[in-house]
Amino acid sequence: MPKIKTNRGAAKRFRKTGTGKIRRNKAYTSHILTKKTTKRKRSLRQSIIVSKADSSNVSKLVPYL
């Protein structure tokens, strides 16, 4: 069987934690930041775990993560 190709866009956006869960960064941090509160922008800096519903799709995009 040939190897599965990795989706390079997804590979740059996701990484695996020590326990094997998939971590991602939050959206809405790139522009139009003046109207967002400091508290909101601070919380957007934190990365979060991908939900169970989406994690199976992400693992198909990035099989060797």
Side-chain angles (χ1 to χ4, degrees):
M1 288 294 291
K3 293 180 182 176
I4 303 166
K5 277 198 173 179
T6 297
N7 182 304
R8 297 311 295 162
K12 293 166 191 173
R13 286 168 170 83
F14 300 103
R15 55 194 185 277
K16 209 165 240 187
T17 62
T19 55
K21 294 174 182 170
I22 301 169
R23 193 189 312 173
R24 70 170 178 86
N25 290 323
K26 294 182 183 174
Y28 308 112
T29 58
S30 56
H31 61 98
I32 316 176
L33 296 170
T34 51
K35 64 174 78 169
K36 293 170 189 157
T37 63
T38 311
K39 180 181 178 181
R40 181 175 168 193
K41 288 186 278 190
R42 194 166 54 242
S43 80
L44 288 171
R45 280 184 223 142
Q46 312 303 317
S47 61
I48 54 171
I49 305 296
V50 172
S51 66
K52 281 186 182 178
D54 295 329
S55 59
S56 61
N57 286 333
V58 172
S59 3
K60 285 175 189 170
L61 291 172
V62 192
Y64 305 108
L65 186 69

